[in-house]
Amino acid sequence: MTYCDFANSLPPDTDDPNKHYHDHQYGFPVGDDNALFGRLILEINQAGLNWTLMLKKQQAFHTAYAGFDIVKVAAFDEHDVERLLNDAGIVRNRLKINAVIHNARAVLHLQAEYGSFKNWLDAHHPRDKAAWVKLFKQHFKFAGGEIVGEFLMSTGYLKGAHDEHCPIYRQTLAAGAKWAEPV
């Protein structure tokens, strides 16, 4: 069963967060740098864990990581690392926490050079997944193939978020998914 089949089988009034994510976020373009960064945080923290858990913890991540504010997270220090390690609402993994802070600083450098994180992504589009992973590894920590691939699919840069028969597929196209742009 694909993610689309699973999400579309859920009743409209479900409390399963996958339904809302699938129907309103997954595969849709994201224009705000902090929102892009927030999606990257969730993908990093999902590694080895269940995506539903990440969706259920999304608000806790948002709170713990200063509203996904890149500038604020880039300024996190060891006190903040300890605070995050003691926050039961998020994934308490030192490697992931340190990667998020490092990646916030990396995004600041990309913003300085390209004007925004989104501009950096757009400047390197289109690429296949392998080329994206190689590029991400040059700048970010905890940026393996699954994390990078899901991040890029979830934000409309790589095809594959939705099956072509999924009703949301056409909505992502209408919203301007980058992967659908002519090369």
Side-chain angles (χ1 to χ4, degrees):
M1 176 182 282
T2 68
Y3 188 59
C4 291
D5 291 337
F6 166 71
N8 289 319
S9 73
L10 296 169
D13 61 346
T14 184
D15 63 351
D16 186 320
N18 284 288
K19 180 71 173 166
H20 182 269
Y21 179 73
H22 171 271
D23 291 359
H24 302 284
Q25 294 176 288
Y26 193 50
F28 288 88
V30 177
D32 178 77
D33 278 9
N34 290 333
L36 283 165
F37 181 63
R39 191 73 58 86
L40 184 59
I41 289 173
L42 292 179
E43 293 296 347
I44 288 168
N45 279 280
Q46 187 273 329
L49 300 171
N50 181 289
W51 182 245
T52 303
L53 178 65
M54 294 305 100
L55 293 176
K56 287 179 177 179
K57 289 181 174 281
Q58 186 170 10
Q59 186 56 49
F61 278 109
H62 187 266
T63 300
Y65 285 101
F68 302 142
D69 185 303
I70 297 162
V71 172
K72 289 179 181 176
V73 175
F76 279 9
D77 58 17
E78 191 56 39
H79 171 76
D80 292 295
V81 171
E82 290 305 316
R83 174 183 55 80
L84 294 166
L85 285 169
N86 289 301
D87 187 337
I90 66 167
V91 175
R92 297 176 290 179
N93 177 305
R94 186 178 294 275
L95 292 175
K96 291 178 180 182
I97 291 168
N98 287 334
V100 167
I101 296 166
H102 168 87
N103 292 345
R105 294 170 184 159
V107 169
L108 288 180
H109 289 291
L110 297 175
Q111 288 174 326
E113 185 175 350
Y114 289 87
S116 73
F117 186 23
K118 183 184 181 325
N119 286 348
W120 177 79
L121 290 165
D122 290 349
H124 292 91
H125 177 76
R127 289 175 181 252
D128 65 17
K129 181 180 170 181
W132 275 115
V133 171
K134 183 177 179 182
L135 179 65
F136 266 66
K137 286 185 176 214
Q138 292 171 0
H139 299 279
F140 301 106
K141 289 187 177 180
F142 231 93
E146 188 68 22
I147 291 166
V148 173
E150 280 299 323
F151 169 74
L152 293 167
M153 277 195 304
S154 78
T155 56
Y157 283 91
L158 281 180
K159 188 175 183 178
H162 296 278
D163 302 329
E164 289 188 26
H165 70 273
C166 177
I168 306 303
Y169 176 85
R170 283 184 176 51
Q171 292 179 27
T172 62
L173 290 176
K178 292 292 285 182
W179 63 263
E181 291 179 355
V183 178

